[in-house]
Amino acid sequence: MNLSTTIADVHFSTCLMNAAGALCVTQEELETLGRSRSGAIVTKSMTPAFRQGNPEPRYYSFPGGSINSMGLPNLGYPAYAEIIPKLRKFGKPIIASIAGLSPVDFLEAAQTITSVQPDLIEINLSCPNIPGKPQIGYDVEASRSLLLQLKDVLTVPFGVKLPPYFDPVHHEAVAGVLQEVGVDFLSVINSVGNGLVVDPDKERVVIKPKAGFGGIGGRMIKPVALANVRAFWKLFDGQMPIIGTGGIVSGTDVFEHVLCGASAVQIGTAFVDEGVTVFQRLEKEVSEILHRKGYESLLQCRGTLQEL
Ligand code: RRO
C-alpha cells in the first residue's frame, strides 16, 4: 500500500513517524529511528544548552494513555547540529524540533540548526512542563511575534507544534496568525496540559514534578487531536499540510487522523510503550484497512471525512 506523503516538498516514503520527545534525545535513539520503519527522524525539542530535565519519576503510562513532565531534557542544539549530518545516511527526512525558555533561545537554535539543513524544522510552541513558563501557543500575540522573528532566520521549511485548542474562536485566532506568518506545516497536537493522574491505591500522584501535573498523551486524547486536525484542515481549506499526533495506537487511529486531514502522523505514547516495532505494526494495520476499503493510497482519503 502506498503510505507515502509530501510535506513542504519533502518526500516521506511512509507517513508514520515518531513524535518529538518520544525516544529521540540521544544519538543512539535517533540512529535507532534511522534504522526503523519510521518515515522520518524527529528530534527531541532542543534548547541552547544540555538540560537534565525534571526530577524522576517524570513519565507514567497507564491503560488510558500517559502523563509526562520531562522538562525538556535534551543535549543542547550544538550537539544536535553535529548529530544531524550523521543521520543523513539513513536516507529519510530529518525533522529538528526547536524549543526554548525565551525568544532568544528559539532564535539561537534556529540560526544554528538551519545551517545544518534538516529537511524540516518544527517549532515547539507547546511544552506544558516548564515550571513558571506557560505554553507559548496559548498566547497568540507572543506566538506571532516569535514566529515573525524566526521566519527571518530560517532557511528550511518550518512548521509549528501546537497545543490543543478547545474552542473554535481560538482555532480561528491561531490560524490567522499562522496565515500571516506563512508557516509551511502544522503539527497538532502536543500533549494535553496540564492533567493529573492519581494512583488510588497509594493515594498519591504518579509523577514527581509540579506536584503530579503533566501533559496527557495516548489513547484518551484522540478526540481532542482529531478535532484540532479537522479544525485547522478546514480553516486552511485543505491547503496546509498537517501532521496529526495524539492517541494513535492502531491502524484505525491513523486512518481517522488522515480522514480528518492529516498528511502524516506522529506516534508518541505507543512508541514509548512498544518501541520501534510500532511503526511496522501500524503500517500493516492501516494498509489492511485501506486495502479492504478499496483505496490505492493513504492520501486518497485525506480530509474526506463526511458530515451528517
Ligand atoms: O519535555 C517535556 O516535558 C515535554 C515537551 Br518539551 C513537550 O513539548 N511536550 C511534552 O509533553 N513534554
Side-chain angles (χ1 to χ4, degrees):
M1 183 57 66
N2 178 359
L3 301 180
S4 69
T5 195
T6 302
I7 294 171
D9 289 334
V10 177
H11 179 75
F12 295 73
S13 61
T14 135
C15 69
L16 301 149
M17 65 192 80
N18 69 297
L23 304 179
C24 56
V25 174
T26 64
Q27 182 168 341
E28 195 186 335
E29 287 173 334
L30 292 164
E31 288 181 344
T32 300
L33 280 163
R35 286 186 294 269
S36 78
R37 292 289 308 169
S38 177
I41 305 174
V42 186
T43 72
K44 173 68 184 171
S45 295
M46 56 191 83
T47 53
F50 168 86
R51 282 176 61 88
Q52 193 73 51
N54 291 338
E56 296 185 355
R58 58 191 187 182
Y59 182 90
Y60 180 83
S61 178
F62 57 101
S66 65
I67 182 167
N68 88 83
S69 183
M70 308 302 287
L72 263 172
N74 77 97
L75 305 179
Y77 69 75
Y80 294 106
E82 288 195 7
I83 293 171
I84 286 170
K86 295 180 192 155
L87 300 175
R88 285 201 218 294
K89 62 175 182 253
F90 295 107
K92 56 176 84 170
I94 299 163
I95 304 182
S97 172
I98 65 173
L101 306 189
S102 70
V104 172
D105 284 4
F106 277 92
L107 283 163
E108 280 180 17
Q111 252 149 358
T112 302
I113 293 303
T114 205
S115 71
V116 296
Q117 298 276 301
D119 297 276
L120 298 172
I121 289 183
E122 193 179 271
I123 299 166
N124 186 353
L125 298 180
S126 45
C127 177
N129 298 328
I130 306 300
K133 294 279 174 191
Q135 291 162 80
I136 303 163
Y138 285 143
D139 182 335
V140 177
E141 191 41 49
S143 299
R144 179 177 174 276
S145 153
L146 176 63
L147 291 172
L148 287 172
Q149 292 177 68
L150 286 169
K151 193 179 170 66
D152 283 344
V153 172
L154 293 170
T155 61
V156 294
F158 70 97
V160 284
K161 177 79 170 267
L162 296 172
Y165 300 97
F166 300 92
D167 193 292
V169 169
H170 295 157
H171 289 120
E172 282 163 30
V174 172
V177 162
L178 298 175
Q179 190 95 55
E180 180 193 341
V181 172
V183 302
D184 298 296
F185 68 96
L186 311 183
S187 191
V188 291
I189 56 174
N190 207 321
S191 58
V192 177
N194 268 265
L196 182 64
V197 174
V198 169
D199 180 335
D201 292 329
K202 295 184 178 142
E203 303 179 19
R204 67 180 190 203
V205 300
V206 297
I207 55 171
K208 187 176 173 72
K210 285 176 67 179
F213 287 69
I216 307 294
R219 265 176 218 285
M220 61 164 53
I221 72 164
K222 186 176 75 171
V224 177
L226 294 178
N228 278 270
V229 171
R230 191 66 181 164
F232 286 116
W233 165 264
K234 288 187 150 200
L235 283 164
F236 286 98
D237 292 326
Q239 301 302 308
M240 175 67 77
I242 299 176
I243 305 178
T245 310
I248 295 176
V249 293
S250 72
T252 306
D253 302 323
V254 176
F255 184 60
E256 290 178 12
H257 267 265
V258 176
L259 281 178
C260 288
S263 292
V265 294
Q266 294 182 343
I267 323 295
T269 301
F271 172 38
V272 174
D273 282 348
E274 204 172 320
V276 284
T277 55
V278 74
F279 300 112
Q280 67 209 58
R281 178 177 67 76
L282 293 176
E283 243 181 69
K284 185 164 168 284
E285 288 177 9
V286 74
S287 296
E288 278 168 10
I289 293 167
L290 293 168
H291 186 71
R292 200 174 64 233
K293 286 175 166 278
Y295 289 110
E296 278 159 21
S297 72
L298 187 66
L299 288 191
Q300 209 182 335
C301 46
R302 179 175 52 140
T304 60
L305 183 69
Q306 295 175 50
E307 294 173 14
L308 296 175

Coordinates of all heavy atoms in Angstrom, one line a residue, residues 131-189:
P131 N 8.1 24.6 34.8 CA 7.5 25.4 35.9 C 7.6 26.9 35.6 O 8.7 27.4 35.3 CB 8.3 25.0 37.1 CG 8.8 23.6 36.8 CD 9.1 23.6 35.3
G132 N 6.5 27.6 35.7 CA 6.6 29.1 35.5 C 6.6 29.6 34.1 O 6.6 30.8 33.9
K133 N 6.6 28.6 33.1 CA 6.6 29.1 31.7 C 5.3 28.6 31.0 O 5.2 27.4 30.7 CB 7.8 28.4 31.0 CG 9.2 29.0 31.5 CD 9.5 30.3 30.9 CE 10.7 30.9 31.5 NZ 10.9 32.3 31.1
P134 N 4.4 29.4 30.7 CA 3.2 29.0 30.1 C 3.5 28.6 28.6 O 4.5 29.0 28.0 CB 2.3 30.2 30.1 CG 3.1 31.4 30.4 CD 4.4 30.9 31.0
Q135 N 2.6 27.7 28.1 CA 2.7 27.3 26.7 C 2.5 28.5 25.8 O 1.5 29.2 25.8 CB 1.7 26.2 26.4 CG 1.9 24.9 27.1 CD 0.7 24.0 27.2 OE1 0.4 23.4 26.3 NE2 0.0 24.1 28.3
I136 N 3.5 28.8 24.9 CA 3.5 30.0 24.1 C 2.3 30.0 23.2 O 1.7 31.0 22.9 CB 4.8 30.0 23.2 CG1 6.0 30.0 24.1 CG2 4.8 31.3 22.3 CD1 7.3 29.6 23.4
G137 N 1.9 28.8 22.7 CA 0.8 28.7 21.8 C -0.5 29.2 22.3 O -1.4 29.4 21.6
Y138 N -0.6 29.3 23.6 CA -1.8 29.8 24.2 C -1.8 31.4 24.3 O -2.8 32.0 24.7 CB -2.1 29.2 25.6 CG -2.6 27.8 25.5 CD1 -2.2 26.8 26.5 CD2 -3.5 27.4 24.5 CE1 -2.6 25.5 26.4 CE2 -3.9 26.1 24.5 CZ -3.5 25.1 25.4 OH -3.9 23.8 25.3
D139 N -0.7 32.0 23.8 CA -0.6 33.4 23.8 C -0.4 33.8 22.3 O 0.7 33.7 21.8 CB 0.6 33.9 24.6 CG 0.7 35.4 24.7 OD1 0.2 36.1 23.7 OD2 1.3 35.9 25.6
V140 N -1.5 34.2 21.7 CA -1.5 34.4 20.2 C -0.5 35.5 19.8 O 0.3 35.3 18.9 CB -2.9 34.7 19.7 CG1 -2.9 35.0 18.2 CG2 -3.8 33.6 20.0
E141 N -0.4 36.6 20.6 CA 0.4 37.7 20.2 C 1.9 37.3 20.4 O 2.8 37.6 19.6 CB 0.1 38.9 21.0 CG 0.8 40.2 20.6 CD 0.8 40.4 19.0 OE1 -0.2 40.2 18.3 OE2 1.9 40.7 18.5
A142 N 2.2 36.6 21.5 CA 3.6 36.1 21.7 C 4.0 35.1 20.6 O 5.2 35.2 20.1 CB 3.7 35.4 23.1
S143 N 3.1 34.3 20.2 CA 3.4 33.3 19.1 C 3.7 34.1 17.8 O 4.6 33.8 17.1 CB 2.2 32.4 18.9 OG 2.0 31.6 20.1
R144 N 2.9 35.1 17.5 CA 3.0 35.9 16.3 C 4.4 36.5 16.3 O 5.1 36.4 15.3 CB 1.9 36.9 16.3 CG 2.0 37.8 15.1 CD 0.7 38.8 15.1 NE 0.9 39.7 14.1 CZ 1.6 40.8 14.1 NH1 2.2 41.2 15.2 NH2 1.6 41.7 13.1
S145 N 4.7 37.2 17.4 CA 6.0 37.9 17.4 C 7.2 36.9 17.3 O 8.1 37.2 16.5 CB 6.0 38.7 18.8 OG 7.3 38.9 19.2
L146 N 7.1 35.8 18.0 CA 8.2 34.8 17.9 C 8.4 34.3 16.5 O 9.5 34.2 15.9 CB 8.0 33.7 18.9 CG 9.0 32.5 18.9 CD1 10.4 33.0 19.2 CD2 8.5 31.4 19.8
L147 N 7.2 33.9 15.9 CA 7.3 33.3 14.6 C 7.8 34.3 13.5 O 8.5 33.9 12.6 CB 5.9 32.7 14.2 CG 5.5 31.5 15.0 CD1 4.0 31.1 14.7 CD2 6.4 30.3 14.7
L148 N 7.4 35.6 13.6 CA 7.9 36.5 12.7 C 9.4 36.7 12.8 O 10.1 36.8 11.7 CB 7.2 37.9 12.9 CG 5.7 37.9 12.4 CD1 5.0 39.2 12.8 CD2 5.6 37.7 10.9
Q149 N 9.9 36.7 14.0 CA 11.4 36.8 14.1 C 12.1 35.5 13.6 O 13.1 35.6 12.9 CB 11.7 36.9 15.6 CG 11.3 38.2 16.2 CD 11.6 38.3 17.7 OE1 12.8 38.3 18.1 NE2 10.6 38.3 18.5
L150 N 11.5 34.3 13.9 CA 12.1 33.1 13.4 C 12.1 33.0 11.9 O 13.0 32.5 11.3 CB 11.4 31.9 14.0 CG 11.6 31.6 15.5 CD1 10.7 30.6 16.1 CD2 13.1 31.2 15.7
K151 N 11.0 33.5 11.3 CA 10.9 33.4 9.8 C 12.1 34.1 9.1 O 12.5 33.6 8.1 CB 9.6 34.0 9.4 CG 9.2 33.7 8.0 CD 7.9 34.3 7.6 CE 7.7 34.2 6.1 NZ 7.5 32.8 5.6
D152 N 12.6 35.2 9.7 CA 13.7 35.9 9.1 C 15.0 35.1 9.2 O 15.9 35.4 8.4 CB 13.9 37.2 9.9 CG 12.9 38.3 9.5 OD1 12.2 38.1 8.5 OD2 12.7 39.2 10.3
V153 N 15.1 34.2 10.1 CA 16.3 33.5 10.3 C 16.3 32.1 9.6 O 17.4 31.6 9.2 CB 16.5 33.2 11.9 CG1 17.6 32.3 12.2 CG2 16.6 34.6 12.6
L154 N 15.2 31.5 9.5 CA 15.1 30.1 9.0 C 15.2 30.0 7.5 O 14.6 30.8 6.7 CB 13.8 29.5 9.4 CG 13.6 29.2 10.9 CD1 12.2 28.8 11.3 CD2 14.6 28.2 11.4
T155 N 16.0 29.1 7.0 CA 16.2 28.9 5.6 C 15.7 27.5 5.1 O 15.9 27.1 4.0 CB 17.6 29.0 5.1 OG1 18.4 28.0 5.8 CG2 18.2 30.4 5.4
V156 N 15.1 26.8 6.1 CA 14.5 25.5 5.7 C 13.0 25.6 6.0 O 12.6 26.4 6.9 CB 15.1 24.3 6.4 CG1 16.5 24.0 6.0 CG2 15.0 24.4 7.9
P157 N 12.1 24.8 5.3 CA 10.7 24.9 5.6 C 10.4 24.7 7.1 O 11.1 23.8 7.7 CB 10.1 23.8 4.8 CG 11.1 23.5 3.7 CD 12.4 23.8 4.3
F158 N 9.5 25.4 7.7 CA 9.2 25.2 9.1 C 7.7 25.2 9.4 O 6.9 25.8 8.7 CB 9.9 26.3 10.0 CG 9.3 27.7 9.8 CD1 8.4 28.1 10.7 CD2 9.7 28.5 8.8 CE1 7.8 29.4 10.6 CE2 9.1 29.8 8.6 CZ 8.2 30.2 9.5
G159 N 7.4 24.5 10.5 CA 6.1 24.4 10.9 C 6.0 24.6 12.4 O 7.0 24.8 13.1
V160 N 4.8 24.5 13.0 CA 4.7 24.7 14.4 C 4.0 23.5 15.1 O 3.1 23.0 14.5 CB 3.8 26.0 14.7 CG1 4.6 27.2 14.5 CG2 2.5 26.0 13.9
K161 N 4.5 23.2 16.2 CA 3.8 22.1 17.0 C 2.9 22.9 18.0 O 3.4 23.7 18.9 CB 4.9 21.3 17.8 CG 4.4 20.3 18.7 CD 3.9 19.0 18.0 CE 3.6 17.9 18.9 NZ 4.7 17.0 19.1
L162 N 1.6 22.7 17.9 CA 0.7 23.4 18.6 C 0.1 22.7 19.8 O 0.0 21.4 19.8 CB -0.5 23.8 17.7 CG -0.1 24.7 16.5 CD1 -1.3 24.9 15.6 CD2 0.3 26.1 17.0
P163 N -0.3 23.4 20.8 CA -1.0 22.8 21.9 C -2.5 22.5 21.4 O -2.9 23.1 20.4 CB -1.0 23.8 23.0 CG -1.0 25.1 22.3 CD -0.2 24.9 21.0
P164 N -3.2 21.7 22.1 CA -4.6 21.5 21.8 C -5.4 22.8 22.1 O -5.2 23.4 23.1 CB -5.1 20.4 22.7 CG -4.2 20.4 23.8 CD -2.9 20.9 23.3
Y165 N -6.3 23.2 21.2 CA -7.3 24.3 21.5 C -8.6 23.6 21.6 O -8.9 22.6 21.0 CB -7.2 25.3 20.4 CG -5.9 25.9 20.2 CD1 -5.0 25.5 19.2 CD2 -5.4 27.0 21.0 CE1 -3.7 26.0 19.1 CE2 -4.2 27.5 20.9 CZ -3.3 27.0 19.9 OH -2.1 27.6 19.8
F166 N -9.5 24.3 22.4 CA -10.8 23.7 22.8 C -11.9 24.5 22.4 O -13.1 24.2 22.7 CB -10.8 23.4 24.3 CG -9.7 22.4 24.7 CD1 -8.5 22.9 25.1 CD2 -9.9 21.0 24.6 CE1 -7.5 22.0 25.5 CE2 -8.9 20.2 25.0 CZ -7.7 20.6 25.4
D167 N -11.7 25.6 21.6 CA -12.8 26.5 21.2 C -12.5 27.0 19.8 O -11.4 27.4 19.5 CB -12.8 27.7 22.2 CG -14.1 28.5 22.0 OD1 -14.3 29.1 21.0 OD2 -15.0 28.4 22.9
P168 N -13.5 27.0 19.0 CA -13.3 27.5 17.6 C -12.7 28.9 17.5 O -12.0 29.2 16.6 CB -14.7 27.4 17.0 CG -15.5 26.4 17.8 CD -14.9 26.5 19.2
V169 N -13.1 29.7 18.5 CA -12.5 31.1 18.4 C -11.0 31.0 18.5 O -10.3 31.8 17.9 CB -13.1 31.9 19.6 CG1 -12.4 33.2 19.8 CG2 -14.6 32.1 19.3
H170 N -10.5 30.1 19.3 CA -9.0 30.0 19.4 C -8.4 29.4 18.2 O -7.3 29.9 17.7 CB -8.7 29.2 20.7 CG -9.1 29.8 22.0 ND1 -9.3 29.1 23.1 CD2 -9.4 31.1 22.3 CE1 -9.7 29.9 24.1 NE2 -9.7 31.1 23.6
H171 N -9.1 28.4 17.6 CA -8.5 27.9 16.3 C -8.5 29.0 15.3 O -7.5 29.1 14.5 CB -9.5 26.8 15.8 CG -9.4 25.5 16.6 ND1 -10.5 25.0 17.2 CD2 -8.4 24.7 16.8 CE1 -10.1 23.9 17.8 NE2 -8.8 23.7 17.6
E172 N -9.5 29.8 15.2 CA -9.5 30.9 14.2 C -8.4 31.9 14.5 O -7.7 32.4 13.5 CB -10.9 31.6 14.2 CG -11.9 30.9 13.5 CD -13.3 31.3 13.9 OE1 -13.5 32.5 14.2 OE2 -14.3 30.5 13.9
A173 N -8.2 32.3 15.7 CA -7.2 33.3 16.0 C -5.8 32.8 15.7 O -5.0 33.5 15.1 CB -7.3 33.7 17.5
V174 N -5.6 31.5 16.0 CA -4.2 31.0 15.8 C -4.0 30.8 14.3 O -3.0 31.1 13.7 CB -4.1 29.6 16.5 CG1 -2.8 28.9 16.1 CG2 -4.1 29.8 18.0
A175 N -5.0 30.3 13.6 CA -4.9 30.2 12.1 C -4.6 31.5 11.4 O -3.8 31.6 10.5 CB -6.2 29.5 11.5
G176 N -5.2 32.6 12.0 CA -5.0 33.9 11.4 C -3.5 34.3 11.5 O -2.9 34.8 10.5
V177 N -2.9 34.0 12.6 CA -1.5 34.4 12.8 C -0.6 33.5 11.9 O 0.3 34.0 11.3 CB -1.1 34.2 14.3 CG1 0.4 34.1 14.5 CG2 -1.7 35.3 15.2
L178 N -1.0 32.2 11.9 CA -0.1 31.3 11.1 C -0.2 31.6 9.6 O 0.8 31.5 8.9 CB -0.5 29.8 11.3 CG -0.4 29.4 12.8 CD1 -0.9 28.0 13.0 CD2 1.1 29.4 13.2
Q179 N -1.4 32.1 9.2 CA -1.5 32.5 7.8 C -0.7 33.8 7.5 O 0.0 33.9 6.5 CB -3.0 32.9 7.6 CG -3.4 33.1 6.1 CD -3.9 31.9 5.5 OE1 -4.9 31.3 6.0 NE2 -3.3 31.5 4.4
E180 N -0.7 34.7 8.5 CA 0.0 35.9 8.3 C 1.5 35.6 8.3 O 2.3 36.2 7.4 CB -0.3 36.9 9.5 CG 0.5 38.2 9.5 CD 0.4 38.9 10.8 OE1 -0.5 38.6 11.7 OE2 1.3 39.8 11.0
V181 N 2.0 34.8 9.1 CA 3.4 34.4 9.2 C 3.8 33.6 7.9 O 4.9 33.9 7.4 CB 3.8 33.6 10.5 CG1 5.2 33.1 10.4 CG2 3.5 34.5 11.7
G182 N 3.0 32.7 7.6 CA 3.3 31.9 6.4 C 4.1 30.6 6.8 O 5.2 30.4 6.3
V183 N 3.6 29.8 7.7 CA 4.3 28.6 8.1 C 4.0 27.5 7.0 O 3.0 27.6 6.2 CB 3.8 28.1 9.5 CG1 4.0 29.1 10.5 CG2 2.4 27.6 9.5
D184 N 4.9 26.5 7.0 CA 4.8 25.5 5.9 C 4.0 24.3 6.3 O 3.6 23.5 5.4 CB 6.3 25.1 5.5 CG 7.0 26.2 5.0 OD1 6.6 26.7 3.9 OD2 8.0 26.7 5.6
F185 N 3.9 24.0 7.6 CA 3.1 22.9 8.0 C 2.7 23.1 9.5 O 3.3 23.9 10.2 CB 3.8 21.5 7.8 CG 5.0 21.3 8.7 CD1 4.9 20.6 9.9 CD2 6.2 21.8 8.4 CE1 6.0 20.4 10.7 CE2 7.3 21.6 9.2 CZ 7.2 20.9 10.4
L186 N 1.7 22.3 9.9 CA 1.3 22.3 11.3 C 1.5 20.9 11.9 O 1.3 19.9 11.2 CB -0.2 22.6 11.5 CG -0.8 23.8 10.8 CD1 -2.3 24.0 11.2 CD2 0.0 25.1 11.2
S187 N 1.8 20.8 13.1 CA 1.9 19.5 13.8 C 1.0 19.6 15.0 O 1.3 20.5 15.9 CB 3.4 19.4 14.2 OG 3.7 18.1 14.6
V188 N -0.1 18.9 15.0 CA -1.1 19.0 16.1 C -1.5 17.6 16.5 O -1.8 16.8 15.7 CB -2.3 19.8 15.6 CG1 -1.9 21.3 15.4 CG2 -2.9 19.3 14.4
I189 N -1.5 17.4 17.8 CA -1.3 18.3 18.9 C -0.2 17.8 19.8 O 0.2 16.6 19.8 CB -2.6 18.3 19.8 CG1 -3.0 16.9 20.3 CG2 -3.8 19.0 19.1 CD1 -4.2 16.8 21.2

